[in-house]
Amino acid sequence: MASDQATTPPPPPLPEIQSHDLSQVIVLHPPPVFNYFMDLFSKKFHLLKAWESPLPLHEFLTNHAHSAQAMLCSGTGPSISADIIRLLPSLRLVATTSAGLNHIDLTECRNRGISIANAGEAFSEDVADLAVGLLIDVFRKVSASDRYVRHGLWATKGDYPLGSKLGGKRIGIVGLGSIGFQVAKRLEAFGCNISYNSRKRKDFVSYPFYTNVCELAANSDVLIICCGLTEQTRHMINREVLLALGKEGVIVNIGRGAIIHEKELVQCLVQGEIGGAGLDVFENEPDVPKELFELDNVVLAPHMAVFTTESFKDLCDLMIGNLEAFFSKKPLLSPVMNE
Amino acid sequence: MESIGVLMLIPMNTYLEQELQKRYNLFKLWTAPQKPQFIKEHANSIRAVVGNAGAGADAELIEALPRLEIVSSFSVGVDKIDLAKCREKGIRVTNTPDVLTEDVADLAIGLMLAVLRRLCESDRYVRSGKWKKGDYKLTTKFSGKTVGIIGLGRIGMAVAKRAEAFNCPICYYSRTEKSDTKYKYYPSVVELASNCQILVVACPLTEETQHIVNREVMNALGPKGVLINIGRGPHVDEPELVSALVEGRLGGAGLDVYEHEPEVPEELFGLENVVLLPHVGSGTVETRKVMADLVLGNLEAHFLNKPLLTPLV
């Protein structure tokens, strides 16, 4: 009846979620996932966006982030140095959207009992896929012959030069972590023979283990760099290792640019001391040595190994999950054991 | 052996050519200013023809060579050879199976990765300096995608084995369901295309398989689907493929073969979701040498009255 409808009270207003009700997360520089999913984070956390402030970073942190317990960072943007950590007295968690940790002062975190969460295995498959894709591209000249066809040269200049067979080749994996293992598993299906070098021998695989990377190179046709960047691995792949790999050898880097001595790599490629390279990372991204642009036996990628819609969504869910777990005092989803 | 005439149809491999020259009286058809005349002139001494994926002994050529005993193809596909005519006349036919299976399967996976992860396009992105202006966009994950294979023969099985290492579920279409495999069978190509994200052509080219990938199949594969052709150009309705890609009804394509090689539809040159290779499926130094030795071995066996190594007819 109309009178009943008139006396029905209106629904109560929804409580406004004030940003100060949400837990604070300090972010110095937007991680790449923010280009696609920032709102998913903003709904759940009060993001302190240092990059949006006109204040210099140190001032912003001192004035606005002293009670922030959690930080979200990535491989891009300022390093999470001891200086920065010291300006965040309440910091108990650093969550990075990368697998790599080379941008974080791990010693300072350990000393202050700050937990670290990273991308875990969220994109190990995508990175491994890119490593294999780059390797097949170099061996079979995929990008080079695609260029050839698109320039109309197949009809005028004839067949493209032959590539090299992948089956039976000896693959040396540098760093047999989550990514290195996924690479190995894939290449076994192509009939490749896997060996590796790692900080420690791994019991769960039967691949031959080499204690030093030069010996691995001497016994391999391909080197795939899958390790993290640390003081020990910086410039680990130098001229000596590349000469050991040899004139037919191919190197693929999906780790960090600085693991390879870039000037020496370029020299070896230009002089024909190694057979080719597939590179997703460089020492001074986005700068790439222009000598490489002249070479058809090199395939270049713009640090995109984790840049798939699937990985970004998984990463987003993982980071939100880690932050939620942290704030509800539950175990982190992808903690890093900081030994 | 020098008196045995061997007709090579087109240039295909320098080592093969040199070896044939050493062992036989080699006639190189592509050097002739007038081909029919050339054939007529030498017909009485030609006892073998060597062709490949691009050129084979068709009915016309077979009729013109009354002393032809054997056709040895530098390829596994024999769609350019008139097999019925060869059977009719008792002409032997050999090809190069098995030795190129791995290379072709490797390339199929390479094409899948190149298309989904935009390897060629992002290599161009870096070389053109665009990376300095910003990151490349997000691409599509390959691992875990469902791969549908048309033709589960040697090459199809090798593609499946590799894709499985990327955790890709495998399904297939074949003339008859295979009892000894765990992969999911679909009784039609359209159904297969509707149920996979990456469709690979890996069957032989015959009258039945011409345009086996047509408009209906491409629409079923869809705007997120990717077609990989490592079979023969005529397996795919090429004008329909071009319009499906240009209109976005098909998500992408990795092509090693075309209907009129070496012509490639120019409309494809500007598309970033396409990878175009110049028929290099078996194109490695190692495999081409083994293929050449197989051609030479088959010819030698034939002229010594020994069993052929890899006979088809």
Side-chain angles (χ1 to χ4, degrees):
Chain A
M1 285 170 62
S3 53
D4 285 346
Q5 279 169 357
T7 56
T8 310
L14 288 170
E16 266 180 30
I17 299 176
Q18 304 286 342
S19 61
H20 61 248
D21 292 340
L22 301 174
S23 304
Q24 289 182 335
V25 177
I26 172 72
V27 187
L28 304 188
H29 183 86
V33 278
F34 271 19
N35 288 333
Y36 304 90
F37 298 118
M38 185 165 78
D39 49 318
L40 292 182
F41 287 86
S42 312
K43 267 189 239 172
K44 301 199 174 211
F45 310 106
H46 178 196
L47 299 176
L48 305 174
K49 301 176 192 166
W51 76 91
E52 284 186 348
S53 169
L55 295 175
L57 182 60
H58 287 206
E59 244 185 86
F60 178 86
L61 295 180
T62 309
N63 294 342
H64 299 286
H66 62 270
S67 24
Q69 292 180 49
M71 168 186 284
L72 181 67
C73 66
S74 73
T76 52
S79 288
I80 315 306
S81 60
D83 280 347
I84 287 185
I85 294 171
R86 280 170 204 157
L87 292 171
L88 297 163
S90 308
L91 191 65
R92 312 243 33 78
L93 169 71
V94 173
T96 178
T97 59
S98 58
L101 304 169
N102 51 292
H103 55 295
I104 302 171
D105 190 326
L106 301 174
T107 310
E108 187 70 16
C109 287
R110 193 184 322 120
N111 292 343
R112 305 183 80 219
I114 296 172
S115 302
I116 303 175
N118 72 344
E121 315 213 331
F123 43 61
S124 295
E125 289 188 321
D126 269 333
V127 181
D129 289 357
L130 196 83
V132 175
L134 286 172
L135 183 61
I136 300 176
D137 195 324
V138 175
F139 263 62
R140 302 297 299 273
K141 307 181 191 294
V142 174
S143 288
S145 55
D146 172 271
R147 270 197 293 277
Y148 186 75
V149 171
R150 283 173 134 103
H151 284 125
L153 297 173
W154 190 20
T156 53
K157 281 180 79 179
D159 284 337
Y160 198 71
L162 297 177
S164 183
K165 187 183 166 90
L166 193 52
K169 292 295 191 295
R170 302 164 301 165
I171 312 289
I173 300 195
V174 180
L176 203 71
S178 160
I179 293 170
F181 178 68
Q182 294 294 330
V183 174
K185 180 179 148 223
R186 282 152 176 72
L187 288 175
E188 279 194 292
F190 291 78
C192 295
N193 300 306
I194 314 292
S195 302
Y196 70 106
N197 160 255
S198 214
R199 277 172 305 191
K200 288 190 286 244
R201 188 186 287 268
K202 310 274 171 178
D203 292 322
F204 60 89
V205 296
S206 52
Y207 309 136
F209 172 73
Y210 286 86
T211 46
N212 93 57
V213 81
C214 217
E215 239 192 288
L216 179 68
N219 288 286
S220 300
D221 303 302
V222 175
L223 275 188
I224 307 190
I225 312 304
C226 303
C227 60
L229 176 63
T230 64
E231 278 314 297
Q232 291 76 40
T233 63
R234 181 173 295 274
H235 286 188
M236 174 170 74
I237 310 299
N238 54 20
R239 187 177 167 79
E240 194 197 344
V241 174
L242 295 169
L243 291 181
L245 185 58
K247 290 196 192 306
E248 310 284 306
V250 169
I251 187 156
V252 172
N253 192 2
I254 43 89
R256 284 287 178 269
I259 296 169
I260 300 182
H261 193 304
E262 199 160 273
K263 278 204 171 70
E264 289 179 1
L265 172 67
V266 172
Q267 213 175 50
C268 284
L269 282 163
V270 167
Q271 290 168 354
E273 301 286 4
I274 63 166
L279 309 169
D280 186 44
V281 286
F282 305 85
E283 285 209 65
N284 293 304
E285 296 167 18
D287 291 332
V288 173
K290 58 179 171 357
E291 296 92 320
L292 298 181
F293 297 165
E294 312 293 313
L295 302 175
D296 269 348
N297 57 344
V298 169
V299 180
L300 306 167
H303 199 158
M304 59 179 215
V306 313
F307 276 58
T308 65
T309 358
E310 292 88 341
S311 265
F312 265 44
K313 185 62 179 46
D314 288 347
L315 201 55
C316 180
D317 292 344
L318 181 64
M319 286 299 121
I320 289 175
N322 272 307
L323 290 166
E324 285 183 327
F326 170 74
F327 288 119
S328 14
K329 300 197 181 345
K330 293 201 178 109
L332 295 174
L333 303 182
S334 50
V336 172
M337 297 307 143
N338 194 359
E339 293 128 31
Chain B
M1 282 279 208
E2 282 99 23
S3 57
I4 298 174
V6 174
L7 179 69
M8 197 177 197
L9 302 180
I10 57 176
M12 57 190 74
N13 184 275
T14 313
Y15 162 74
L16 178 60
E17 213 175 293
Q18 286 165 350
E19 287 299 310
L20 287 171
Q21 194 118 12
K22 272 188 229 167
R23 302 166 191 213
Y24 305 104
N25 193 6
L26 182 65
F27 298 104
K28 304 182 200 179
L29 186 59
W30 68 93
T31 61
Q34 300 281 13
K35 292 186 171 47
Q37 202 139 321
F38 183 85
I39 290 170
K40 223 174 178 170
E41 229 174 281
H42 304 290
N44 272 334
S45 54
I46 292 173
R47 293 166 63 187
V49 163
V50 173
N52 70 351
D58 57 15
E60 199 187 327
L61 183 67
I62 293 169
E63 285 297 341
L65 299 172
R67 295 198 63 210
L68 184 60
E69 296 168 22
I70 179 168
V71 176
S72 192
S73 195
F74 184 68
S75 68
V76 66
V78 287
D79 42 282
K80 290 262 165 46
I81 302 174
D82 191 328
L83 296 172
K85 193 123 211 126
C86 288
R87 274 187 203 103
E88 185 196 306
K89 291 185 169 262
I91 296 169
R92 307 304 305 275
V93 177
T94 69
N95 63 344
T96 60
D98 294 313
V99 298
L100 46 64
T101 300
E102 293 185 343
D103 272 353
V104 179
D106 290 353
L107 196 76
I109 305 291
L111 280 169
M112 293 178 206
L113 286 163
V115 175
L116 267 78
R117 300 298 298 273
R118 298 290 193 265
L119 291 182
C120 307
E121 190 63 23
S122 53
D123 176 276
R124 274 189 278 276
Y125 189 80
V126 176
R127 282 171 199 262
S128 67
K130 291 198 181 111
W131 192 16
K132 301 209 193 211
K133 307 215 173 102
D135 281 334
Y136 193 67
K137 59 189 177 191
L138 297 183
T139 60
T140 306
K141 183 172 181 159
F142 170 57
S143 277
K145 292 292 186 299
T146 304
V147 175
I149 305 178
I150 302 175
L152 207 62
R154 286 171 295 244
I155 293 172
M157 283 297 286
V159 173
K161 177 178 158 213
R162 282 152 177 74
E164 280 194 297
F166 294 80
N167 302 315
C168 295
I170 310 291
C171 46
Y172 72 102
Y173 163 82
S174 208
R175 279 170 304 183
T176 51
E177 188 172 356
K178 313 255 171 189
S179 54
D180 56 347
T181 177
K182 53 201 156 138
Y183 305 138
K184 181 151 173 69
Y185 173 72
Y186 286 97
S188 78
V189 181
V190 170
E191 265 180 88
L192 180 68
S194 307
N195 288 285
C196 69
Q197 287 144 311
I198 301 171
L199 183 66
V200 186
V201 184
C203 60
L205 179 66
T206 63
E207 266 175 43
E208 294 78 39
T209 63
Q210 278 254 357
H211 286 191
I212 195 171
V213 178
N214 56 19
R215 189 183 174 95
E216 198 192 349
V217 170
M218 290 184 241
N219 283 342
L221 191 49
K224 295 216 162 112
V226 173
L227 175 69
I228 303 292
N229 193 0
I230 42 111
R232 286 286 180 266
H235 276 129
V236 176
D237 185 332
E238 203 160 273
E240 283 293 345
L241 174 66
V242 172
S243 62
L245 286 165
V246 164
E247 290 165 26
R249 284 180 287 114
L250 179 62
L255 308 171
D256 188 39
V257 287
Y258 312 84
E259 288 206 90
H260 307 286
E261 294 171 23
E263 285 163 33
V264 175
E266 284 186 19
E267 298 95 313
L268 300 180
F269 292 178
L271 301 179
E272 51 128 301
N273 55 342
V274 162
V275 173
L276 305 167
L277 299 184
H279 202 157
V280 292
S282 64
T284 66
V285 170
E286 296 91 331
T287 294
R288 290 288 170 85
K289 167 97 180 13
V290 176
M291 284 165 66
D293 286 339
L294 199 47
V295 169
L296 295 165
N298 273 303
L299 290 174
E300 187 178 61
H302 173 74
F303 291 116
L304 290 176
N305 279 317
K306 292 202 177 129
L308 298 182
L309 306 179
T310 48
L312 265 184
V313 173

